Amino acid sequence: EEDHLANHKMLSEKLSNNNDHSSEQSCLRTNDIPEEQTSLAQDTDNYHHGPEGYRSNGDRFASKQAFLIVFCIAWVLQGMYHTYFVSAITTIEKLFQIQSKITGIIMSATEIGQIGSSLLLTYYGGQGHRPKWIAWGMVLFAVSSFTCSLPHFIYGRQLISANDLTGITKEPNVCKAYPTNSTFFMHVSNNSSAYGVSNILQTCEEEVTTGHRIQPSVTNIVLAIFFISLLGVGMGQTAVYTLGIPYIDDNVASKESPLYFAITIGVRILGPALGFIVGSLCTSVYADLSVDPKIDTTDPRWVGAWWLGLVLIAGFLMLASLAMFAFPKRLSSAKQIHRIHHPNRKHPSIKDFPKTVKRLLKNDILMFRTASSVLHILPIAGLYTFLPKYLESQFRLPTPSANMISGVGGILVMGLGIIISGVFILRVKPNARFVAAWIAFTAVIYALGMGLLMFIGCPMNDLAGVQINQGFDTIQLNCNESYCNCNKDKFAPICGQDGKTYLSPCHAGCQNYTKKDDKIIQYSECMCLSSNVTIGNATEDFRFGNATIGYCDLECPNFILYIILFSIFVFIHSTSEVGSMLLILRCVDPRDKAMALGLIQFAIGLFGNVPCPIVYGAVVDSACLVWKMACGEKGACGLYDSDVFRMFYHGTTGAILLCAFFVDVIVWYKAGSINFVDEQVPFEEELHTITGKIKGDLE
């Protein structure tokens, strides 16, 4: 404290000697003093005020503990958003008839916004009032999150009514003898206008019935809303991470930094897990809260309240932003800056930027580590983007259950692995080659694990009409196809009493149905389910069977085995996260660490997080067996080939991780030149870096 006052006295004397007259001149001259000295002078100006030696300004709320709480709330909500949107993908595709490859392009907008805003935001926001910049970023994020839900309020109810997604079927898709009655077309056409959807749907004559398809202009509007919203989300989330962590570091004592950063890491892991859990709860609620649906979550037509979580996240984040606005530029409890100004030291300038980049590009270890990080992130992020959809199609899980399992069996296990590996490295202090070898080991184990999971799934032997390697063939159905005038593109699965799942009631030859409370509970007189009954010695009677809505119960014992093995492989791979970032910190010159981290995060975003949903969206679409068609145009996929989906989904992931393994071997070979023991890197800096890595992985 005495040294602090002495410094204050010296600075005051210097300022008073150079400024003899007005306070205005003093303020102008102070701006010429280096930041290290001015910040110290400002700290001492705050001294002698307030009950504890600092000026409180009557605001007891603005403490480091309060900032940590508000910061963690914002970080959890932002982490929730991304996995929540992933959990709603299946519902969004079903409702708006969007293909997975289009969904992948939309989701890449988040990374595009983040990459585009990160450099400018860190430059201007880092030198300004950081809490206000963070708060405005939270506001942008909240507004974008709410905007993302607008398609529901504009078109949702009309589309639900038009596409028979409430369970109140306007015209059952039962078997009708040739030719189709023309009055049926008139009935369906009038039905659509009765629900007020003529302005967003186009009508066309299909094979059997009158078809409806979302107007292309409406589809473009919906896609534009999603893309712009996710772009804003990417820009808004950058402020919290890039400015919040340094603000904490500048305003807490050095000995407290590890504790604060450990708390932020642990809380950050909770966000993505909670996103899947909230997604599970919201999708278990029907999309239109004013409608009493006649179906449940196990019905293929179920549409969950995908928009509800977006609105909740937006509301809570907006409230948190109000609290963030209340924090000052510098907390009263800020730690003192003891850095000494060196007049001859050069400040970073734009002229030095090319030299720094060139120096980093010549660092072969950094370049290989960058390539390895991209190859690690791309398959993991792609895998998690479509994990709920895979669980739904492969194991016939309801959407809420698939989301819950994705959060608990995937994200929480990953967080556990990261924490355990961090503690191990902190206590054991392994050398660089050991860390590099472990990273390569986890890559090859994960790749081999994906190869193993390619063969653990559920067969499609309960689907009537499916031929291996030949797709869905209606000719193989067990009835006279020429009798029923069916539209092969109308996918509405039913379960026959023979234990087989049929494409639709019409394809099963069902001619009648039973309704209760406006809900069809059973189809009857299904010709494909006929059985022969022998009476006496010669007389035979054909008896038609019954069917219920939805898939038949899948008797597949592999689900538990799949989840256990998947969680083990995720855990093993996650233990490489901390060591991966430590190698980056130690393989560059200390003055280039920040730039190296920025370079590798830029590469991960540009070459990993942007293309991964696009690549995996195309992989998912390639496994589609039955498309939901309308007016000759493809909509969302109705049925996936489980074998192709399983092979492509895990095969792509394993192949990319195998490439990462070979790059990791090169890093291991070169890692002998990295000194892990002598160089002492502040623990809070390592935790700061690890936090950024977790952020990229879990989103």
Side-chain angles (χ1 to χ4, degrees):
E1 181 178 333
E2 292 178 355
D3 293 339
H4 190 70
L5 291 174
N7 290 335
H8 170 56
K9 183 176 181 181
M10 293 173 61
L11 285 172
S12 301
E13 291 176 354
K14 183 177 180 180
L15 289 173
S16 62
N17 292 334
N18 292 334
N19 303 277
D20 298 328
H21 301 290
S22 64
S23 60
E24 180 179 4
Q25 281 184 316
S26 179
C27 292
L28 292 174
R29 298 281 299 187
T30 305
N31 292 334
D32 297 331
I33 298 176
E35 179 184 355
E36 292 87 344
Q37 295 184 8
T38 56
S39 60
L40 183 56
Q42 290 167 1
D43 286 343
T44 53
D45 286 341
N46 289 336
Y47 199 75
H48 296 307
H49 297 277
E52 297 180 358
Y54 284 90
R55 182 172 54 214
S56 63
N57 293 328
D59 188 4
R60 295 171 181 254
F61 169 76
S63 64
K64 55 188 179 182
Q65 294 86 356
F67 182 85
L68 180 66
I69 293 173
V70 176
F71 174 78
C72 288
I73 290 174
W75 223 3
V76 167
L77 290 172
Q78 290 189 1
M80 285 175 57
Y81 178 90
H82 298 281
T83 51
Y84 178 86
F85 195 82
V86 167
S87 69
I89 282 180
T90 303
T91 303
I92 292 174
E93 290 180 354
K94 183 191 302 182
L95 182 60
F96 298 103
Q97 293 299 298
I98 303 173
Q99 299 179 34
S100 293
K101 60 182 179 182
I102 303 298
T103 308
I105 295 174
I106 293 173
M107 295 192 66
S108 66
T110 302
E111 288 298 326
I112 295 174
Q114 186 173 352
I115 292 172
S117 63
S118 59
L119 295 179
L120 290 176
L121 183 64
T122 51
Y123 179 76
Y124 289 106
Q127 298 182 9
H129 195 300
R130 285 178 291 185
K132 285 187 177 180
W133 277 93
I134 295 172
W136 282 117
M138 294 165 64
V139 170
L140 176 60
F141 194 108
V143 171
S144 300
S145 178
F146 179 78
T147 305
C148 202
S149 67
L150 287 182
H152 166 76
F153 299 103
I154 300 174
Y155 305 114
R157 180 175 298 181
Q158 297 171 332
L159 290 176
I160 290 172
S161 300
N163 293 324
D164 299 339
L165 298 177
T166 60
I168 305 175
T169 305
K170 304 174 184 63
E171 186 64 33
N173 184 24
V174 294
C175 176
K176 299 180 184 299
Y178 289 98
T180 304
N181 192 340
S182 60
T183 59
F184 175 70
F185 292 106
M186 184 64 65
H187 173 71
V188 176
S189 298
N190 293 338
N191 204 19
S192 63
S193 61
Y195 281 84
V197 296
S198 58
N199 60 328
I200 66 171
L201 297 180
Q202 66 180 24
T203 304
C204 59
E205 297 297 328
E206 295 186 327
E207 296 178 9
V208 181
T209 65
T210 299
H212 298 293
R213 173 175 173 261
I214 301 177
Q215 291 280 5
S217 59
V218 173
T219 302
N220 293 335
I221 292 174
V222 171
L223 295 179
I225 291 175
F226 283 141
F227 190 87
I228 294 174
S229 299
L230 292 177
L231 201 65
V233 164
M235 296 172 65
Q237 74 175 7
T238 308
V240 174
Y241 165 66
T242 58
L243 302 179
I245 293 292
Y247 187 81
I248 292 177
D249 187 43
D250 290 344
N251 287 279
V252 300
S254 298
K255 62 181 181 180
E256 295 178 341
S257 294
L259 173 62
Y260 278 75
F261 284 121
I263 293 174
T264 59
I265 291 173
V267 170
R268 185 70 182 101
I269 296 172
L270 290 177
L274 289 176
F276 276 122
I277 294 173
V278 174
S280 173
L281 297 176
C282 289
T283 51
S284 63
V285 178
Y286 195 67
D288 190 347
L289 302 181
S290 64
V291 173
D292 179 21
K294 304 300 179 181
I295 55 178
D296 55 24
T297 56
T298 60
D299 195 298
R301 295 169 295 174
W302 178 266
V303 176
W306 63 273
W307 55 272
L308 184 58
L310 301 177
V311 174
L312 293 176
I313 292 174
F316 286 121
L317 200 57
M318 187 65 76
L319 292 176
S321 69
L322 298 178
M324 185 62 71
F325 274 115
F327 288 97
K329 183 177 181 179
R330 193 168 179 82
L331 295 177
S332 59
S333 59
K335 63 185 179 184
Q336 303 305 309
I337 300 175
H338 299 290
R339 291 175 296 180
I340 301 175
H341 174 60
H342 300 280
N344 297 328
R345 178 182 295 174
K346 292 184 178 179
H347 291 281
S349 65
I350 192 66
K351 295 181 180 179
D352 298 327
F353 184 78
K355 295 180 181 178
T356 304
V357 173
K358 185 178 180 180
R359 187 164 56 247
L360 291 177
L361 293 178
K362 287 184 177 180
N363 189 327
D364 54 348
I365 298 179
L366 178 64
M367 291 299 99
F368 283 116
R369 272 303 315 146
T370 302
S372 172
S373 297
V374 170
L375 293 173
H376 276 267
I377 292 295
L378 195 153
I380 300 300
L383 190 77
Y384 275 102
T385 300
F386 294 98
L387 180 59
K389 177 184 283 290
Y390 175 78
L391 296 178
E392 288 180 50
S393 63
Q394 186 72 208
F395 301 103
R396 307 273 176 83
L397 295 180
T399 300
S401 301
N403 292 332
M404 184 69 72
I405 293 171
S406 299
V408 176
I411 301 298
L412 288 182
V413 171
M414 180 186 293
L416 181 63
I418 292 173
I419 294 175
I420 291 177
S421 64
V423 173
F424 174 82
I425 291 178
L426 184 64
R427 294 190 175 183
V428 178
K429 295 181 176 59
N431 58 36
R433 298 204 74 175
F434 177 87
V435 172
W438 181 256
I439 295 172
F441 172 75
T442 60
V444 73
I445 289 297
Y446 201 93
L448 294 175
M450 292 297 104
L452 177 62
L453 294 181
M454 290 172 64
F455 304 97
I456 300 178
C458 297
M460 300 183 65
N461 52 15
D462 68 319
L463 290 169
V466 172
Q467 288 185 329
I468 303 299
N469 299 326
Q470 296 185 22
F472 202 99
D473 187 1
T474 56
I475 298 179
Q476 299 298 317
L477 292 176
N478 187 26
C479 63
N480 186 1
E481 185 200 9
S482 62
Y483 181 79
C484 295
N485 190 20
C486 299
N487 187 336
K488 67 178 184 297
D489 298 325
K490 297 298 181 183
F491 180 70
I494 62 169
C495 177
Q497 64 183 30
D498 59 351
K500 295 284 187 180
T501 299
Y502 292 84
L503 185 66
S504 71
C506 183
H507 285 82
C510 301
Q511 305 172 74
N512 207 345
Y513 56 89
T514 303
K515 296 180 68 174
K516 182 180 180 181
D517 297 331
D518 290 328
K519 174 187 176 181
I520 296 179
I521 59 175
Q522 181 178 268
Y523 289 96
S524 57
E525 300 181 23
C526 303
M527 291 182 289
C528 294
L529 306 177
S530 61
S531 59
N532 298 334
V533 179
T534 303
I535 301 177
N537 295 327
T539 306
E540 292 185 355
D541 181 25
F542 292 92
R543 207 174 270 181
F544 296 146
N546 301 325
T548 56
I549 295 176
Y551 293 99
C552 294
D553 292 335
L554 189 62
E555 296 181 0
C556 179
N558 293 334
F559 172 66
I560 300 298
L561 177 62
Y562 177 88
I563 294 299
I564 292 175
L565 291 176
F566 180 80
S567 299
I568 291 174
F569 297 137
V570 167
F571 175 81
I572 293 175
H573 183 266
S574 65
T575 58
S576 68
E577 303 289 341
V578 177
S580 173
M581 294 308 296
L582 283 177
L583 281 180
I584 297 170
L585 285 173
R586 305 294 177 87
C587 75
V588 298
D589 190 278
R591 59 179 172 170
D592 295 333
K593 285 180 180 179
M595 189 66 190
L597 293 175
L599 177 66
I600 200 168
Q601 290 300 326
F602 179 83
I604 288 174
L606 186 61
F607 301 110
N609 291 334
V610 170
C612 86
I614 301 175
V615 171
Y616 273 79
V619 168
V620 171
D621 280 345
S622 66
C624 187
L625 199 61
V626 177
W627 290 97
K628 293 181 180 179
M629 304 288 291
C631 301
E633 297 290 336
K634 284 184 180 179
C637 184
L639 179 66
Y640 290 95
D641 187 324
S642 62
D643 295 331
V644 174
F645 199 168
R646 186 172 62 251
M647 294 293 179
F648 282 15
Y649 185 65
H650 297 101
T652 302
T653 305
I656 298 176
L657 259 300
L658 197 59
C659 295
F661 164 73
F662 292 117
V663 178
D664 289 332
V665 170
I666 299 176
V667 174
W668 169 81
Y669 177 77
K670 294 178 174 291
S673 61
I674 302 176
N675 192 333
F676 252 40
V677 179
D678 296 335
E679 183 183 359
Q680 297 299 323
V681 177
F683 184 59
E684 57 265 27
E685 181 181 356
E686 297 176 1
L687 286 173
H688 172 201
T689 306
I690 296 166
T691 307
K693 177 70 172 169
I694 295 172
K695 174 181 177 293
D697 289 348
L698 299 186
E699 294 174 1

